Amino acid sequence: MAIRDILHYPDKRLRTVAEPVDVVDESIRSLVDDMFETMYAAPGIGLAATQVDVHKRIIVIDLSAEKNQPLCLINPEIRKSEGVEQTEEGCLSVPDIFETVERAERIEVKALDRNGEEFTLEADGLLAVCIQHEIDHLQGNLFVDYLSPLKQMRVKKKIQKARRQATII
Ligand code: NI
């Protein structure tokens, strides 16, 4: 297992649309393991393959405090969604930015697990938000895309400022 580098906004590679996984083989399982290790080390509660510059439809999530409930979704597809929920979101690819985003409250998602077995999951609350956020990454979308142009400008300025300061140090 290895910790992989996480791409940061506005890196254009985050805009790549991921390809579906054909076969869940050892190389995919090894990537999934690396993604969990990278996510836990960050630390974060979700990670999409796009964020580690691998453009395959794979996401990993763990919302548990003990970090012992890994959830892997390969080729995830939202089949149903209902309700509206607003949550303050952050993202490992957009450090130190937290903004309110509106998403579906409840979803039903179909995916393959780490062994390539198909399963269906009904999710609400934070899990539903997290799955939608990570699936967005696979489409090349980021949560900041939902913000107003003014807020997006503020986010860019804040990130540029942080980067300038980092250079001085
Ligand atoms: Ni994210």
Side-chain angles (χ1 to χ4, degrees), residues 87-98:
T87 311
E88 192 170 64
E89 296 187 19
C91 177
L92 292 175
S93 291
V94 195
D96 301 324
I97 304 289
F98 300 93

Side-chain angles (χ1 to χ4, degrees), residues 46-48 51 89-94 133-134 137 141-143:
L47 188 75
Q51 292 176 275
E89 296 187 19
C91 177
L92 292 175
S93 291
V94 195
H133 175 118
E134 303 311 335
H137 276 301
N141 297 327
L142 294 164
F143 82 105

Side-chain angles (χ1 to χ4, degrees), residues 41-102:
I45 58 170
L47 188 75
T50 309
Q51 292 176 275
V52 293
D53 201 23
V54 177
H55 302 287
K56 294 187 165 122
R57 294 187 59 84
I58 303 172
I59 65 181
V60 297
I61 292 173
D62 192 338
L63 301 183
S64 69
E66 299 79 18
K67 303 294 171 207
N68 59 2
Q69 287 172 42
L71 175 66
C72 165
L73 295 102
I74 298 171
N75 298 342
E77 249 179 68
I78 294 176
R79 309 302 293 271
K80 282 185 208 161
S81 59
E82 56 179 36
V84 177
E85 189 169 41
Q86 290 192 338
T87 311
E88 192 170 64
E89 296 187 19
C91 177
L92 292 175
S93 291
V94 195
D96 301 324
I97 304 289
F98 300 93
E99 296 284 351
T100 302
V101 176
E102 199 172 279

